[in-house]
Amino acid sequence: MAKFTLNGKPVEAPEGTLVLEAAKKAGVEIPHYCYHPALGNPGNCRLCVVEVEGAPKPMVSCRLPVKDGLVVKSDSEAARRAQSASLEFHLVNHPLDCPVCDQSGECGLQDYYMKIGRYQSQVREDKLHKGKRMPIGPHVMLDQERCVLCTRCTRFVDQVTGTRELGIFGRGHMERVDLIPGMALDNAYSGNVVDICPVGALTERDFRYKVRVWYLEETDTICPGCARGCNISLHTNTQRTWHNEGRRAARIKPRHNPEVNGYWICDEGRYGYKSLDQDRLGRVIRLKPRQELSWERALDEVAAALKNGFKAKGPEGLAVIASGAFSNEDWAAMKRLFCDVLGVRRFLFSPEPDQVGEEDGLLRRREKVPNLKGGEAFGFGTEIPSKSWESLAREIEAGLVWGLYIVDRDAAKVWKDKAAGLFSRLDLAVFQGSCKGKTGDLTHYRLPATAYAEEDGHFTNFEGKTQFYRKALEPLGQARTDWRIFSELGERLTQSAPLEAAP
Amino acid sequence: MECLGACDYAPALLVNETLVGAASQESIAASLGQGDIPDFRSRRDPVAQGYETTRILTRHFNEERLAELPVYRSLGGYQGLEKALSLSRIELIEEVKKSNLRGLGGAGFPTGMKWATVPADGKVPGPRYVVANADESEPGCFKDRVLIERSPHQLLEGLLIAAYAIGAKDAFVFIRGEYGIQYRVLRKAVAEAEKAGLVGGNILGKEFSCRVRIMRGAGAYISGLDTALLESMEGKKAWPRQPPPFPTVAGLMGRPTVVNNVETLSMLPAIAFNGGEWFAKIGVPKCGGTAVYSVSGHVERPGVYEFPMGAPLRRILEAAGGVRDGKKLKAVIPGGASTPVLSSHEIDVSMDFEGLRGVGSFLGAGGVIVLDETVNMAEVAHNIERFLAHESCGQCTPCREGSEWTVRILERILAGRGVGGDLPNLQRIGENITGKVICALGDTVGVVTRGFMKKFPKDFERHG
């Protein structure tokens, strides 16, 4: 450990830690743009200059390692003046289009101007003009004029994705960030460049102008897009429903967790929030004959149908298809209902064929559902084997199955043309889920379940890390959590008290 | 198009790779029309003849065909290398330390000390490199161009001596793209030396092997800065690296690398042959030997002049024939466009690193620019700042934005649209750049205009 002095106070940090980092840990924010803990410290923005005792000139704190006896001042008159001077240079040619820049509210130039700037502008010259509103990939828009050339984005595509779509072209004041000729910023992690851009130069095409950031509420939660369980922050907009094209969720931002996802998330996860408002089930419906039901009535009917089936054909003929998007709480309730109460043997947890995604060495996993691992802890997929989609279809065709309970999996999509024929052979088919899919139209009952953003729960990721995800939105329509549906159904089947208290 | 390194033939232009000196409307028209391009080398470089001075690098410059190996060898060439190879590396580095040889590319760092910071082979095993920095490109500096052109083997010999001293098996010459003729001269010299067993395996029959390769730059002032040069050699944009680590520890491809200027390396054969003490005695304390000055501007005989370190600037100007056309001297920029200007009464300064620092300027790369009484210093400042803004690599903000801002204010002042507060603002911008940037170019941006404003305030005010 090195003992040094920061703004007159003694601070301890491991030898070699950058002063900028050590200061941050000690609660002292030194302004900076180019330094990013995951992308290094090129020291080119020159904002993090500090006064160092004995040094002839100000030093950049992102390149200065702490050592014993170092005396640093980040808030002295000289340090403030140096920081303010650097900021002034950043702003010489920065266009004043703040009212339309969608970084508003999250712009490092604005923030630092209020903290260390507040000078009278001496710029009497015209601003230089560079490219504006340039779509550089499916998700990202570039505004070269606003760029402060911190090089975080070019370092990201160089060091993190290795795809190198972006480069710095030209030199001096004509320097600009741009695409390498013939390329587009279309890698699987492209959205991250927007997060790391400290100003409004890189914006999300998806999010631009949809809603001002200060209207958003943030909820720390977990991405359900694959078995990684990236830590995210879900930004929702429920106060001004006329913004954001009526969508409740506005965007997803990665949340730093060094043990799971570092600073990043993939684009698939980032834009996955759109499913929260798409194709959702809102009402409890019996389809044959079609009628909207109350939860009580629907559960009574389903329980009665299950009991009848048991009486007539036994538990062997009941099959359950369940998704890996269950929380650990859902898995537990499901085990109680289907294994302990009903003694079901036929289970299917295999992903749908198109739920097998691409895997790379960075974050994305082949497994596109978040919590098969959590199910394994309850024996699903291990002690309780999973059938294949094909063999279950054959068993239904052979008349071995009278009832099918499907949770969150679009069986009809997998079985395609065969689906209608298969469902017609069943005495009872129940669909429980958040999105209707093709299956939602073929079953006898449709029970709306909450999406991940509408419930609290735990996912266990592929490495066995169990993480808490939080409710960010009220459930849509009559949707209930899977575990609550299971336990209330179980209550009806056993005629006993509910297995869990209702939330 | 960058600086051509040909102020001695100004106005100069490059037609394809041929330099046309003393260009006039007629010669430009002729060169464009007929393809019969006059060779600028028909003019001979004046090299301080008949002056009581010790010449080291330029002493054989009047020999015909000095660039050819047999001629160079007949004049004692490669005997320095032979002598160096008879010493141990440590002994050789000691000799260079004793010589007080300073880096003559501009920074003036003691060469022996630089070599000594290369980690020992036992400490960091594996390859290490030597690079000859032939990326001279500061307005007013052209001595490296002449040294390569006239005596390429002298550079090559020095390069091999440096390679031996630090244990490098690969040596490079990084030469700027604009130096087309010089590139070919050098390439021919390397081929000759290879054939004669002076480059390659077991040089001069000794247990020392070294390859030499020449790399051409793409034309950027900043590539002359050692760390930016290394980036360029690695195939990247020439952005300076911010030490530490210094190149001698982690340079080309992360390996220990010594980057020395052409003139510095060219001094080595003589030092190796005559010994460090001999060299040290020629100069002044802390600055050994001689320096080759490029003299240009309003003088009678622009060209390269070799003088012992510490010679007064006045003597150099006299050697170049004094101010041309009988005009009065107004100012001298002593070390190349980026060094702070001296007024006419400061020319008794001792021309060496310490001497010039004493009057608030630098020796730089020894590019002496002479300005007569007709010159408006605001225009000169604008010209130099425009060059620096154009050449700013853009990596760090104060230089990228501050240089262009400075230019635009100067432009406005020169156009008669100056407003109150412009001069203090220029001063303030300069102060805010200097000392807050990654490399020397940025520092220079802040220094130049302030120097001119301080010494010639009237030239600025009369436009205001």
Side-chain angles (χ1 to χ4, degrees):
Chain A
M1 293 296 265
K3 286 181 186 145
F4 74 106
T5 310
L6 176 66
N7 299 341
K9 291 191 189 106
V11 176
E12 264 190 54
E15 188 91 28
T17 314
L18 301 170
V19 166
L20 182 86
E21 274 290 314
K24 196 171 169 186
K25 291 219 171 74
V28 175
E29 183 75 27
I30 301 176
H32 63 276
Y33 291 137
C34 68
Y35 168 77
H36 185 287
L39 300 171
N41 50 340
N44 55 23
C45 77
R46 313 310 278 184
L47 263 190
C48 69
V49 280
V50 291
E51 195 187 344
V52 179
E53 207 175 86
K57 53 186 190 181
M59 313 267 285
V60 284
S61 59
C62 77
R63 293 191 62 87
L64 180 68
V66 301
K67 57 174 191 233
D68 264 329
L70 200 68
V71 179
V72 180
K73 287 178 199 152
S74 72
D75 63 353
S76 66
E77 178 59 26
R80 288 275 158 176
R81 222 177 25 237
Q83 291 162 6
S84 172
S86 273
L87 185 71
E88 184 186 27
F89 287 126
H90 278 280
L91 286 163
V92 172
N93 284 308
H94 193 84
L96 293 175
D97 55 1
C98 303
V100 285
C101 164
D102 207 42
Q103 202 74 351
S104 53
E106 292 181 321
C107 174
L109 281 167
Q110 272 188 342
D111 292 348
Y112 288 151
Y113 179 77
M114 298 313 287
K115 274 187 200 151
I116 59 167
R118 287 183 180 255
Y119 48 78
Q120 188 70 40
S121 173
Q122 300 294 320
V123 182
R124 297 191 178 86
E125 336 302 321
D126 292 336
K127 303 251 169 190
L128 291 165
H129 294 296
K130 299 181 194 169
K132 295 199 81 71
R133 289 177 297 279
M134 303 156 74
I136 54 169
H139 303 303
V140 182
M141 191 76 89
L142 167 65
D143 192 310
Q144 291 174 332
E145 284 183 354
R146 297 176 190 156
C147 174
V148 293
L149 289 153
C150 69
T151 70
R152 281 185 183 184
C153 56
T154 56
R155 283 179 282 144
F156 176 80
V157 296
D158 185 28
Q159 296 169 22
V160 179
T161 62
T163 47
R164 300 189 177 86
E165 298 97 338
L166 294 170
I168 308 278
F169 295 84
R171 54 187 202 199
H173 63 287
M174 293 312 289
E175 197 160 73
R176 66 212 180 274
V177 166
D178 210 339
L179 287 170
I180 303 293
M183 294 188 94
L185 184 67
D186 54 3
N187 68 62
Y189 298 86
S190 68
N192 291 291
V193 300
V194 175
D195 306 332
I196 56 178
C197 181
V199 297
L202 294 166
T203 47
E204 260 183 279
R205 295 175 70 179
D206 177 65
F207 181 71
R208 280 165 68 88
Y209 310 136
K210 293 283 175 14
V211 52
R212 304 272 99 177
V213 290
W214 52 85
Y215 294 142
L216 297 177
E217 288 151 56
E218 290 177 29
T219 308
D220 289 350
T221 185
I222 302 297
C223 175
C226 79
R228 171 77 57 182
C230 289
N231 291 213
I232 57 168
S233 172
L234 179 67
H235 294 207
T236 53
N237 169 42
T238 52
Q239 304 306 311
R240 288 171 173 72
T241 47
W242 57 93
H243 288 163
N244 198 34
E245 295 164 356
R247 300 188 310 224
R248 296 177 302 162
R251 61 177 183 180
I252 284 173
K253 289 277 179 191
R255 196 154 53 86
H256 180 227
N257 184 337
E259 287 177 10
V260 180
N261 56 305
Y263 290 90
W264 324 118
I265 53 171
C266 70
D267 287 354
E268 235 174 307
R270 182 184 300 265
Y271 301 109
Y273 74 87
K274 290 179 188 175
S275 67
L276 284 173
D277 290 317
Q278 270 171 12
D279 191 34
R280 285 295 302 274
L281 294 179
R283 321 220 140 265
V284 188
I285 289 176
R286 184 195 331 107
L287 289 123
K288 294 167 187 173
R290 192 178 179 101
Q291 190 185 347
E292 259 188 47
L293 304 176
S294 68
W295 267 110
E296 302 310 306
R297 172 104 183 262
L299 291 169
D300 284 344
E301 288 188 17
V302 171
L306 284 169
K307 275 184 182 162
N308 286 341
F310 262 57
K311 214 175 282 170
K313 297 182 174 168
E316 295 79 20
L318 181 62
V320 174
I321 298 178
S323 113
F326 277 159
S327 65
N328 290 346
E329 291 76 2
D330 296 334
W331 282 116
M334 168 157 149
K335 182 161 191 185
R336 258 173 257 143
L337 173 63
F338 290 108
C339 298
D340 303 347
V341 176
L342 295 169
V344 173
R345 298 274 147 78
R346 283 197 169 84
F347 282 100
L348 191 161
F349 320 109
S350 310
E352 296 165 25
D354 68 355
Q355 282 182 324
V356 177
E358 274 183 56
E359 176 152 346
D360 52 36
L362 199 48
L363 295 177
R364 296 187 302 159
R365 305 291 304 170
R366 266 171 68 82
E367 216 167 82
K368 289 286 136 201
V369 286
N371 201 23
L372 279 175
K373 199 82 181 176
E376 275 176 28
F378 293 97
F380 293 106
T382 51
E383 294 126 64
I384 307 161
S386 176
K387 290 191 169 298
S388 73
W389 288 95
E390 265 314 293
S391 67
L392 183 62
R394 277 199 302 275
E395 285 172 4
I396 295 171
E397 267 169 356
L400 298 171
V401 178
W402 58 262
L404 185 58
Y405 200 107
I406 305 169
V407 192
D408 241 347
R409 282 261 152 99
D410 200 351
K413 198 174 84 191
V414 180
W415 286 328
K416 296 195 183 89
D417 299 346
K418 279 194 297 191
L422 292 173
F423 277 97
S424 70
R425 301 185 65 94
L426 301 167
D427 298 339
L428 172 67
V430 180
F431 179 74
Q432 172 183 325
S434 54
C435 295
K436 182 161 71 75
K438 288 184 163 53
T439 313
D441 288 325
L442 294 175
T443 53
H444 297 103
Y445 292 91
R446 207 155 77 189
L447 309 178
T450 48
Y452 80 100
E454 297 161 352
E455 62 192 38
D456 289 325
H458 290 85
F459 288 142
T460 302
N461 83 348
F462 79 105
E463 293 169 306
K465 288 193 177 74
T466 298
Q467 305 186 93
F468 183 46
Y469 67 93
R470 268 171 241 269
K471 178 173 165 178
L473 291 165
E474 285 308 313
L476 207 68
Q478 294 171 281
R480 285 184 181 179
T481 57
D482 290 309
W483 65 262
R484 182 175 166 196
I485 302 169
F486 291 147
S487 50
E488 292 194 4
L489 206 51
E491 177 195 0
R492 280 166 174 78
L493 291 167
T494 56
Q495 302 290 327
S496 65
L499 299 166
E500 288 269 359
Chain B
M1 182 53 67
E2 311 298 315
C3 164
L4 301 181
C7 295
D8 43 347
Y9 295 101
L13 62 141
L14 208 54
V15 182
N16 295 326
E17 284 197 343
T18 302
L19 196 53
V20 178
S24 60
Q25 278 187 346
E26 294 74 34
S27 70
I28 293 169
S31 64
L32 291 175
Q34 292 143 16
D36 181 23
I37 303 163
D39 187 345
F40 80 104
R41 288 179 301 169
S42 58
R43 262 177 72 180
R44 171 158 292 179
D45 303 299
V47 279
Q49 294 168 45
Y51 214 86
E52 80 288 8
T53 173
T54 313
R55 280 160 53 192
I56 299 172
L57 300 187
T58 62
R59 88 182 163 276
H60 298 306
F61 266 29
N62 287 328
E63 293 289 335
E64 294 288 328
R65 299 183 307 172
L66 176 63
E68 290 171 19
L69 183 59
V71 176
Y72 181 69
R73 284 194 103 164
S74 73
L75 295 164
Y78 288 100
Q79 286 178 13
L81 176 63
E82 209 156 358
K83 193 91 174 266
L85 295 184
S86 71
L87 302 174
S88 75
R89 284 175 193 167
I90 292 166
E91 285 167 345
L92 178 57
I93 293 175
E94 271 315 303
E95 282 305 313
V96 175
K97 275 189 185 166
K98 264 189 252 167
S99 75
N100 285 341
L101 173 65
R102 304 274 293 258
L104 299 163
F109 193 81
T111 304
M113 259 168 71
K114 187 191 258 189
W115 291 2
T117 59
V118 175
D121 206 22
K123 215 169 137 202
V124 180
R128 50 213 55 222
Y129 306 111
V130 175
V131 182
N133 183 349
D135 197 83
E136 171 184 61
S137 49
E138 179 149 321
C141 303
F142 46 87
K143 41 104 180 167
D144 288 350
R145 190 202 82 221
V146 177
L147 288 171
I148 296 167
E149 198 181 292
R150 287 291 175 91
S151 192
H153 282 287
Q154 187 170 243
L155 165 61
L156 209 52
E157 189 181 352
L159 186 61
L160 292 166
I161 292 171
Y164 174 72
I166 66 144
K169 292 186 180 67
D170 289 281
F172 299 87
V173 181
F174 184 91
I175 187 165
R176 53 200 309 256
E178 289 79 0
Y179 282 1
I181 293 164
Q182 294 73 20
Y183 166 67
R184 285 191 292 278
V185 166
L186 200 55
R187 210 171 53 171
K188 188 164 162 261
V190 172
E192 279 179 323
E194 273 172 353
K195 230 178 194 172
L198 294 162
V199 166
N202 295 100
I203 293 169
L204 290 168
K206 299 276 171 41
E207 229 179 286
F208 167 60
S209 301
C210 185
R211 288 186 295 182
V212 175
R213 276 168 286 189
I214 309 172
M215 296 181 88
R216 295 185 80 178
Y221 175 63
I222 198 66
S223 303
L225 187 88
D226 56 358
T227 56
L229 181 153
L230 295 171
E231 288 282 300
S232 178
M233 286 180 75
E234 290 176 6
K236 292 179 271 178
K237 197 179 163 93
W239 273 6
R241 295 175 190 166
Q242 203 169 187
F246 288 90
T248 48
V249 176
L252 187 62
M253 306 312 249
R255 303 295 314 166
T257 305
V258 161
V259 182
N260 279 145
N261 168 259
V262 166
E263 188 184 350
T264 315
L265 290 168
S266 297
M267 292 288 183
L268 294 171
I271 293 172
F273 188 77
N274 299 305
E277 276 168 26
W278 164 84
F279 190 82
K281 264 188 215 147
I282 294 168
V284 288
K286 290 190 189 169
C287 276
T290 61
V292 178
Y293 300 99
S294 324
V295 184
S296 65
H298 301 148
V299 288
E300 284 292 344
R301 290 189 301 276
V304 290
Y305 293 86
E306 184 171 6
F307 273 89
M309 279 286 183
L313 177 54
R314 185 184 293 278
R315 274 176 61 181
I316 297 166
L317 298 183
E318 280 165 11
V323 180
R324 79 177 177 205
D325 301 336
K327 295 243 167 52
K328 267 200 267 174
L329 180 69
K330 182 164 183 176
V332 181
I333 304 174
S338 69
T339 53
V341 66
L342 303 177
S343 60
S344 57
H345 60 265
E346 288 174 297
I347 58 169
D348 288 309
V349 63
S350 155
M351 286 289 276
D352 63 274
F353 290 100
E354 269 68 33
L356 277 160
R357 190 163 299 164
V359 294
S361 190
F362 310 106
L363 182 60
V368 179
I369 303 170
V370 182
L371 302 165
D372 73 19
E373 56 191 329
T374 63
V375 173
N376 173 359
M377 299 311 254
E379 280 174 22
V380 180
H382 172 247
N383 208 7
I384 296 173
E385 292 289 7
R386 205 172 52 156
F387 172 81
L388 293 170
H390 182 256
E391 296 298 329
S392 165
C393 79
Q395 184 184 8
C396 66
T397 312
C399 172
R400 180 181 68 236
E401 303 293 340
S403 59
E404 176 64 12
W405 192 9
T406 303
V407 170
R408 284 187 286 159
I409 295 172
L410 285 169
E411 236 157 48
R412 201 157 41 70
I413 292 174
L414 287 170
R417 288 185 283 112
V419 295
D422 274 346
L423 300 185
N425 199 29
L426 278 174
Q427 173 75 20
R428 191 182 63 90
I429 293 167
E431 281 164 14
N432 285 346
I433 303 172
T434 306
K436 299 182 182 75
V437 283
I438 295 174
C439 83
L441 188 151
D443 278 335
T444 296
V445 167
V447 165
V448 167
T449 300
R450 277 188 293 157
F452 281 104
M453 288 198 302
K454 189 175 150 205
K455 291 196 176 153
F456 304 95
K458 288 205 177 86
D459 282 8
F460 289 83
E461 280 156 14
R462 68 176 150 145
H463 293 283

